[in-house]
Amino acid sequence: MSNHSERLFFALWPNSNVRLAINEQTQPVVQAINGKITPSENWHITLAFLGEVDKPAKACMQEVAAKVQGNRFTLSLEEVGYWSKQRILWLGAKKIPDALTDLVSHLTTDLQSCGYRPETRPFRLHLTLMRKASQVKTLPPITPIKWAVEDFCLVRSVTQSSGVSYEVIGRWLLN
Ligand code: 2AM
């Protein structure tokens, strides 16, 4: 890894009200399962994972983000799920608003001019609540959390001995 590169991703970053609601709804579920809990300050929904990005590519990606003309949308987080292969407990939405599909698709397409290589697997919206989660058989229903999404963010991931931490380094408003 070059000294000048950073590990970056575009994400939806919950505001404090949404964070509180997520905490309220998911706490009982998370507490009942063994695993590595994602601290609430790290909660996010990845739109595009960029990996290690050097300075020129970062500048290019920030320019792309500024040109994306996305619309606001309301996300209803209403499902807690478990991927047994990855052992991830997640919070997700049953319905992906068209504006979100468009935002991901614009970012994924336009970022390629900056050297971004899109994932071959389809976009699966999720907020990781827990990693290395023990086998889960049934998950209780939750009250849907309505999140009026007004912007999207560029986030830097920093790995320290205490764990990973995230820093929002750019924010772009939706129309
Ligand atoms: P995850 O929560 O499901 O692991 C920062 O690492 C964010 O980018 C995480 O939300 C992670 O998703 C996501 N991500 C997507 N692809 C990734 C990859 N190849 N390596 C690491 N993180 C990835």
Side-chain angles (χ1 to χ4, degrees), residues 83-130:
W83 290 328
S84 54
K85 202 171 142 209
Q86 294 93 339
R87 297 180 64 206
I88 282 180
L89 183 78
W90 50 265
L91 174 66
K94 286 182 183 153
K95 263 206 204 144
I96 309 292
D98 289 344
L100 174 54
T101 307
D102 290 349
L103 175 61
V104 172
S105 135
H106 278 145
L107 276 174
T108 326
T109 305
D110 296 354
L111 287 168
Q112 291 179 53
S113 66
C114 310
Y116 167 71
R117 271 171 301 169
E119 309 221 18
T120 47
R121 56 190 180 182
F123 173 68
R124 283 205 288 182
L125 178 138
H126 68 284
L127 182 154
T128 298
L129 294 169
M130 183 181 262

Side-chain angles (χ1 to χ4, degrees), residues 18 26 36-38 46 60 62 67 71 76 85 93 97 100 103-104 110 117 122 153 161 172:
V18 172
T26 63
K36 203 168 169 290
I37 296 173
T38 310
T46 303
C60 176
Q62 285 172 311
K67 281 186 197 143
N71 290 322
S76 179
K85 202 171 142 209
L100 174 54
L103 175 61
V104 172
D110 296 354
R117 271 171 301 169
C153 297
S161 52
W172 293 270

Side-chain angles (χ1 to χ4, degrees), residues 15-64:
N15 60 40
S16 51
N17 287 339
V18 172
R19 237 166 253 278
L20 278 175
I22 295 175
N23 190 55
E24 206 176 308
Q25 291 301 317
T26 63
Q27 191 77 352
V29 189
V30 166
Q31 290 304 327
I33 299 168
N34 288 320
K36 203 168 169 290
I37 296 173
T38 310
S40 62
E41 65 268 22
N42 279 3
W43 286 341
H44 66 272
I45 290 172
T46 303
L47 301 176
F49 178 73
L50 309 168
E52 295 294 330
V53 175
D54 64 17
K55 269 194 178 165
K58 179 182 168 187
C60 176
M61 288 165 172
Q62 285 172 311
E63 260 176 56
V64 163

